[in-house]
């Protein structure tokens, strides 16, 4: 079962159901709602629980006495199995409120508007439902606030939780293959074990949502459509702090992503052989250096000119960070890309499609893209069709890990229907997206032609 995001009365959507497969594609014309859906999906991924708020919630619910009883038993060598599991359960039950506490802030920073402005015109509230592999969390946006409306926890996690006390003061908890061991001398020590368990619970229950342990942006990356402009304006040694404070959360995190990928490139955690064909198609080569206390990327053009990344041609600034994120052997594990084809000529888009496939197959990433390009879509479609005849891959100039299994691909078309946006799922088979479905895409992307060339 793949994770889903289901919304009601969010943005322009009366209803939308987005299943996240290893490669998820959202197609549609400008200003139709594609970005709102992709930004929301990313925001849900980087909204980790507010553990300080969680502590306040469980304390209000009277867990201190239970926690002290667990700690005292462990100190004298008694196994408080039932009490310990009950303590973890109470934290799991309170987890949604801790998630919502952070989600409100992330939504406001991501969309740079009030929560009320995210509700569909004419509706009084919006509903956002997240379905992970084992748990469901539904929240309501209303009156500029976020509240939990439904929660189905992953209780099997508690069934699998084994507890023993090898010696007085020492706890060993086991869930599946994960082992938690710690000497407990205080409530603080016990709380740290509970938090570690909750982090793994979130990962098992909601992956890839609400799952980042410390730095959520390392898990999921959002590459906005303004990549070239952000790179030129904000990737400077002395960017104004005032300017940094005023930018959207996505742009702020994009800057951080650039520096982390530059470091990864320097230390060898980026597969540059995978990136090379696309960069060479753009007539460039890349190098990274450590200067001024940070890692920085330099671009050498076909004419021999060596430039800092912020001064590189716009097409290069648009695609380099995309390529490095897709080819990283480390996080980000989820890559959300708005218009990956921006500023790229058709042949470069074809190579980019192969890189996206490699990210899914070789690096096991989840990739979500929004696009206006039927050329990019056709290129991806060919890679889906290639999966039916893997033996032909080499003959046709493809690598085996460039073939995309149709089971790994979900494709959606966003259309305007009266005063709302409609998310329509397109059929994907072993031959790719059918011609009939492609016709729908083409009609939506070039609908203005009907006005320019009226039917006779």
């Amino acid at each position: 079962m793949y994770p889903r995001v289901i919304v009601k009365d969010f943005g322009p959507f009366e209803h939308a159901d987005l299943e996240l497969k290893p490669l998820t594609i959202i197609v549609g014309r400008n200003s139709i709602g594609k970005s709102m859906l992709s930004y929301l999906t990313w925001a849900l991924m980087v909204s980790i629980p507010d553990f300080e708020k969680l502590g306040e919630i469980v304390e209000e619910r009277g867990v201190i006495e239970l926690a002290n009883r667990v700690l005292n038993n462990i100190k004298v060598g008694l196994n408080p199995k039932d009490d310990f599991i009950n303590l973890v359960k109470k934290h799991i039950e309170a987890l949604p409120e801790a998630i919502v506490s952070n989600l409100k802030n992330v939504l406001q920073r991501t969309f740079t508007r009030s929560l009320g402005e995210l509700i569909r015109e004419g509706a009084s509230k919006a509903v956002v439902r997240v379905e992970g592999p084992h748990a469901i969390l539904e929240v309501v946006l209303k009156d500029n606030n976020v509240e939990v409306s439904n929660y189905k926890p992953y209780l099997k996690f508690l069934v699998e939780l084994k507890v023993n006390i090898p010696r007085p003061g020492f706890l060993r908890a086991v869930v599946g293959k994960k082992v938690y061991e710690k000497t407990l001398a205080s409530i603080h020590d016990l709380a740290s074990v509970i938090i570690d368990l909750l982090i793994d619970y979130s990962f098992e229950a909601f992956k890839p949502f609400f799952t980042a342990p410390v730095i959520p942006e390392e898990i999921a990356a959002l590459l906005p459509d303004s990549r070239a402009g952000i790179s030129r304006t904000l990737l400077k040694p002395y960017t104004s702090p005032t300017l940094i404070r005023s930018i959207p959360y996505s742009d702020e995190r994009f800057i951080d992503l650039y520096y982390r990928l530059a470091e990864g490139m320097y230390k060898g955690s980026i597969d540059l052989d995978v990136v090379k064909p696309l960069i060479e198609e753009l007539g460039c080569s890349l190098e990274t250096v450590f200067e001024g206390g940070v890692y920085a990327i330099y671009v050498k053009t076909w004419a021999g000119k060596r430039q800092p990344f912020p001064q590189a041609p716009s097409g290069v600034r648009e695609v380099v960070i995309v390529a490095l994120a897709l080819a990283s052997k480390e996080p980000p594990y989820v890559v959300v890309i708005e218009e990956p084809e921006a500023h790229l000529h058709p042949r470069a888009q074809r190579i980019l499609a192969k890189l996206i496939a490699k990210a899914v197959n070789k690096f096991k990433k989840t990739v979500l893209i929004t696009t206006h390009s039927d050329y990019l879509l056709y290129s991806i479609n060919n890679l889906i069709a290639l999966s039916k005849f893997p033996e032909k891959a080499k003959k046709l100039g493809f690598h085996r890990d460039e073939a995309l299994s149709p089971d790994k691909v979900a494709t959606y078309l966003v259309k305007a229907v009266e005063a709302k946006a409609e998310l329509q799922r397109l059929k994907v088979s072993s031959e790719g997206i059918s011609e009939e479905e492609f016709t729908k895409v083409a009609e939506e992307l070039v609908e203005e032609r009907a006005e320019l060339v009226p039917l006779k």
Side-chain angles (χ1 to χ4, degrees), residues 363-380:
F363 303 113
K364 310 303 178 186
K365 296 185 186 288
T366 296
V367 182
L368 168 62
I369 66 173
T370 67
T371 182
H372 303 132
S373 172
D374 56 349
Y375 194 93
L376 178 63
L377 197 58
Y378 267 109
S379 298
I380 292 173

Side-chain angles (χ1 to χ4, degrees), residues 42 109 217 248-258:
W42 176 76
R109 292 179 64 195
E217 297 80 13
Y249 190 40
S250 56
D251 295 5
E252 180 185 330
R253 296 277 50 91
F254 177 79
I255 299 166
D256 178 66
L257 178 67
Y258 163 81

Side-chain angles (χ1 to χ4, degrees), residues 193-228:
V193 175
I194 298 293
I195 289 174
D196 287 343
L197 282 165
L198 289 175
I199 288 170
D200 281 328
Y201 166 83
S202 294
F203 187 85
E204 293 293 327
F206 289 112
K207 181 185 177 183
F209 304 104
F210 321 129
T211 59
V214 180
I215 306 174
E217 297 80 13
E218 289 187 356
I219 302 299
L222 173 63
L223 295 112
D225 65 351
S226 49
R227 296 181 290 277

Side-chain angles (χ1 to χ4, degrees), residues 127-366:
V127 177
V128 177
R129 179 183 176 94
V130 171
E131 295 187 359
H134 301 292
I136 295 171
L137 176 59
E138 184 178 281
V139 301
V140 172
L141 279 63
K142 186 178 181 180
D143 299 328
N144 209 33
N145 201 10
V146 184
E147 296 179 354
V148 177
S149 58
N150 187 24
Y151 175 43
K152 181 182 177 183
Y154 176 42
L155 296 180
K156 190 179 177 183
F157 183 86
L158 296 172
V159 175
E160 295 177 349
L161 178 57
K162 310 301 179 188
V163 183
N164 63 72
I165 311 300
R167 60 181 183 272
F170 190 84
L171 169 72
R172 176 181 290 127
V174 181
V175 182
K177 295 181 180 179
K178 295 295 290 285
V179 179
Y180 308 86
E181 294 182 324
K182 193 174 183 68
T183 299
L184 303 185
S186 66
I187 286 292
H188 181 270
D189 294 335
L190 179 59
S192 70
V193 175
I194 298 293
I195 289 174
D196 287 343
L197 282 165
L198 289 175
I199 288 170
D200 281 328
Y201 166 83
S202 294
F203 187 85
E204 293 293 327
F206 289 112
K207 181 185 177 183
F209 304 104
F210 321 129
T211 59
V214 180
I215 306 174
E217 297 80 13
E218 289 187 356
I219 302 299
L222 173 63
L223 295 112
D225 65 351
S226 49
R227 296 181 290 277
I230 298 170
S231 301
R232 172 172 285 175
T233 306
L234 299 177
L235 291 178
K236 294 179 180 178
Y238 304 107
T239 305
S240 163
T242 304
L243 179 60
I244 290 291
R245 285 195 298 269
S246 65
I247 65 174
Y249 190 40
S250 56
D251 295 5
E252 180 185 330
R253 296 277 50 91
F254 177 79
I255 299 166
D256 178 66
L257 178 67
Y258 163 81
Y259 287 113
R260 286 193 288 107
L261 292 174
E263 182 178 357
M265 186 177 162
Y266 187 86
K267 295 182 175 179
S269 64
I270 308 287
D271 191 334
L272 294 178
D273 288 337
V274 172
V275 174
K276 190 176 179 181
L278 180 58
I279 303 305
E280 286 186 342
E281 178 63 28
L282 299 177
C284 298
S285 62
L286 304 176
E287 65 173 289
T288 183
V289 298
F290 187 73
E291 59 182 20
V294 297
Y295 295 91
I297 298 173
Y298 279 80
V299 177
K300 188 174 182 179
T301 67
W302 61 271
K305 188 174 181 63
R306 182 178 181 269
Q307 301 171 308
F309 182 74
Q311 296 174 18
S314 60
V316 175
R317 296 198 313 274
E318 283 284 358
V319 81
V320 163
I321 305 306
V322 170
L324 295 178
L326 291 172
S328 174
K329 303 169 192 174
E330 298 178 347
Y333 299 123
V334 182
V335 185
V336 181
I337 315 168
E338 195 175 13
E339 298 177 35
E341 74 278 2
H343 293 190
L344 295 182
H345 59 272
R347 179 176 167 82
Q349 290 187 44
R350 180 169 171 265
I351 297 172
L352 176 61
K354 293 181 179 182
L355 178 53
I356 291 170
K358 284 179 182 287
V360 169
N361 294 325
K362 184 175 183 178
F363 303 113
K364 310 303 178 186
K365 296 185 186 288
T366 296

Side-chain angles (χ1 to χ4, degrees), residues 14 44 81 92 108 117 150 153 255 374 417 451:
E14 183 177 53
L44 292 166
K81 176 185 174 182
I92 287 175
Q108 289 174 326
E117 292 175 282
N150 187 24
I255 299 166
D374 56 349
V417 180
E451 299 176 7

